[in-house]
Amino acid sequence: MKVNTHYPIAEKVLLEYKIKIDSDFIGYRNHVMRMLNYCHYLLPEIDEVQSRKLQIAAAFHDIALWTHDRVDYLVPSYNECKKYLIDKNMEDIAEEVQIIIDMHHLIGTYQGPYEELTEIFRKADLVDFSGGLIKFGIEPSFIKAVNSALPNAGFHLTLLRFTFKQLLRKPWDPLPMMRRKNLYNKSS
């Protein structure tokens, strides 16, 4: 599979936030593009509609780090996304994209509505966050190629900076974005 360095829908969304993201822009942009490469790898028969949903979710999934300056960013991130979807007359996918964003830090496998894309997205984010130590079946050579084409550009240092801020604000709750429970599956 060939590395894709440009996903147009995600790119367009990110450019709307470039000033707000400021010096972290390249790092976040590359994180989003790496994740999308892993999503497309994990779902090789992906169609245009699925790709669009994943691109939108990817662009917004961590955006509230900058828009709200907080590590507890899942709800404000998908609220930003929902405004975008309403503006673009795409409310019909809002629920699915919300679940994709909301469950991307679930500890364990996601099962529930919109399972396929939500679980692929969760895995892709974890592959990138771990620097490829966790692979979920993605070939190491592909991870290496993605990382080479889309360098980290300080993204993990940005995450540490926000985590440090969170520790100063609420030392008893250092990782509020982690989901220990699936909020969308009544049996969990």
Side-chain angles (χ1 to χ4, degrees), residues 91-113:
E91 297 102 319
D92 59 315
I93 65 168
E95 181 181 60
E96 183 172 7
V97 173
Q98 174 184 332
I99 291 172
I100 291 169
I101 292 171
D102 199 27
M103 291 289 101
H104 85 271
H105 285 304
L106 180 66
I107 298 170
T109 303
Y110 173 78
Q111 294 178 319

Side-chain angles (χ1 to χ4, degrees), residues 166-183:
Q166 176 69 14
L167 281 169
L168 293 175
R169 291 175 184 155
K170 294 184 179 179
W172 59 90
D173 192 16
L175 300 171
M177 75 301 236
M178 299 306 292
R179 296 286 195 226
R180 289 163 190 83
K181 183 177 181 186
N182 178 347
L183 304 175

